[in-house]
Each structure stands twice: as C-alpha cells, then as structure tokens.
Amino acid sequence: EAQVTQNPRYLITVTGKKLTVTCSQNMNHEYMSWYRQDPGLGLRQIYYSMNVEVTDKGDVPEGYKVSRKEKRNFPLILESPSPNQTSLYFCASSLFDSMNTEAFFGQGTRLTVV
Amino acid sequence: GENVEQHPSTLSVQEGDSAVIKCTYSDSASNYFPWYKQELGKRPQLIIDIRSNVGEKKDQRIAVTLNKTAKHFSLHITETQPEDSAVYFCAAKGGANNLFFGTGTRLTVIP
C-alpha cells in the first residue's frame, strides 16, 4: 500500500530536549516536505527536499533541521524545542513535477513542548 | 514567494445547499491548484485539482473553477451532505514544486 508514515503520532517533551520525528514513504517520490499546522494559519512549509542530499528552507524553518540521506526518509529534527513549536506536524511526498501530482500526507505528529 | 488567501474561514450550510470557497494567489507562475479535505483528526487528502490550462473541472458534486487573469480559483460543492463537514484547504504550486496553502475553511453541513 502506497503510504507516508510518520512517527511518533503524539509526543510531549520538555523545552530544550532534542527530538526527531521520522517520515518514510514507499512511493519512490523525489519530493518530500514538512509542514506545521496551527489554528488559523493553515499549513506552513518548514523544509523541503527535491531529492537525496538536496534540502531547502520553506516559510518557517527557524528552530528545525532536516536531512535526506535516503530517498525514502526525511526526518525532522528539533535540536532545542521551545513551546512555540507546539503544533501538528505533517510530512508529505510527491513526484517532482511542477504541473502535476498529488501530495501524499503522513498521519501527522502532534507535538507538545512544555 | 507565493501568497494564497482563502475565504471564508468558516462556513455553515444546510444539508442540500451549495457551498463555495474562494482563493486568490499572487504568483502568476503558479500552474497547479489542488484542493484538500481534512476531516477531524485526519491527514489532508486531495479531493480535486485543476491545472492552469483548464478553466473548470468537475467531479460529481464538487467542481473547481480557475480564473488565471484574476488569479482566483474556487471550490464548489453542490447538494452538501453531513459527511462534507471538514476543513478544506486550497493550494497553489509553481515551478519549484512547492505547495503554498491557504489558511483553511471549516465547513459545517447542518442536517
């Protein structure tokens, strides 16, 4: 089954404690991205990757890191989480095609930083 | 970069009535405009999309229109049903493959 898998689904952590949210897709998609969803603000892009070892900042990259060592995986790293990073996070993947293609979303990760 | 605005933020309709959600975009290079539906506690899922070389597209009870000159596109849902209740996001995609989302519309269909 074609899917994007995120882990964990829920996470409560303390300020400053490094954490990683994993994202994996099995559709051989070149393009992967991370979004955060906050009430009234919609989905805002954090980072994206057009292929292995190619990553770039989205609209709200501050406080986040990513890596793309393999095509299928695109982890989101919070080196020193802060309460303003409490949010719902979605990973998405798609073929790299500007005229086309559906973005497939993971199940989401609800992060709370206290 | 691209800026997508979406209105209204909330919309309540009686079952069987129509619902319309409108979006505008700023980047004339954007050429792909999908609409996503997000049910409560679920991930966004594509319901319909339109490309810049098409003015209108319909799929059963949902349709999308695009006015490239005005940089405006809309989602139309006819004969609404309670299961249409969800948050709907419009988006625009340009040459860099990045999707820029609107802020969402919470649609409530009242039985």
Side-chain angles (χ1 to χ4, degrees):
Chain A
E1 181 190 352
Q3 59 186 3
V4 179
T5 303
Q6 288 178 232
N7 279 296
R9 293 289 311 278
Y10 302 92
L11 179 59
I12 301 175
T13 191
V14 296
T15 299
K17 185 177 182 182
K18 180 179 178 179
L19 66 92
T20 300
V21 184
T22 63
C23 174
S24 180
Q25 51 94 5
N26 62 0
M27 295 169 279
N28 202 37
H29 285 165
E30 299 91 357
Y31 186 90
M32 298 185 74
S33 60
W34 277 101
Y35 297 88
R36 61 177 289 173
Q37 183 176 8
D38 302 290
L41 298 177
L43 291 153
R44 294 180 294 166
Q45 192 176 54
I46 302 169
Y47 267 94
Y48 64 95
S49 169
M50 296 188 194
N51 216 322
V52 175
E53 302 292 1
V54 182
T55 63
D56 210 343
K57 297 177 181 178
D59 292 329
V60 287
E62 294 78 18
Y64 305 95
K65 285 175 56 177
V66 292
S67 69
R68 188 90 182 274
K69 294 184 170 55
E70 307 163 283
K71 198 171 188 179
R72 63 183 292 124
N73 295 323
F74 190 45
L76 178 70
I77 303 154
L78 285 73
E79 294 270 5
S80 182
S82 62
N84 64 10
Q85 293 179 296
T86 292
S87 187
L88 178 59
Y89 291 86
F90 285 101
C91 176
S93 76
S94 66
L95 291 170
F96 186 68
D97 180 345
S98 65
M99 271 294 286
N100 206 347
T101 74
E102 177 178 356
F104 291 85
F105 284 84
Q107 323 95 302
T109 296
R110 187 166 292 282
L111 172 66
T112 302
V113 183
V114 297
Chain B
E2 176 65 276
N3 180 44
V4 178
E5 295 191 357
Q6 181 172 350
H7 299 280
S9 57
T10 60
L11 178 61
S12 293
V13 299
Q14 291 289 332
E15 181 177 357
D17 287 350
S18 295
V20 180
I21 302 170
K22 299 182 179 183
C23 290
T24 60
Y25 62 99
S26 60
D27 188 353
S28 56
S30 290
N31 52 25
Y32 174 66
F33 306 91
W35 286 86
Y36 285 81
K37 176 183 181 182
Q38 185 180 29
E39 296 176 349
L40 189 62
K42 301 283 183 65
R43 73 191 82 190
Q45 293 195 292
L46 181 74
I47 55 170
I48 195 168
D49 56 17
I50 191 167
R51 292 160 184 77
S52 58
N53 57 348
V54 175
E56 184 173 357
K57 182 177 178 180
K58 189 173 181 180
D59 183 4
Q60 299 182 337
R61 294 187 298 107
I62 60 173
V64 58
T65 59
L66 171 65
N67 182 328
K68 283 179 60 180
T69 303
K71 298 198 192 78
H72 170 276
F73 58 115
S74 301
L75 177 72
H76 304 252
I77 306 174
T78 59
E79 300 171 27
T80 52
Q81 301 167 2
E83 52 264 39
D84 294 330
S85 295
V87 178
Y88 292 81
F89 291 100
C90 63
K93 180 192 271 194
N97 215 61
N98 290 342
L99 266 180
F100 293 88
F101 286 87
T103 49
T105 297
R106 182 174 299 279
L107 173 65
T108 303
V109 180
I110 304 164

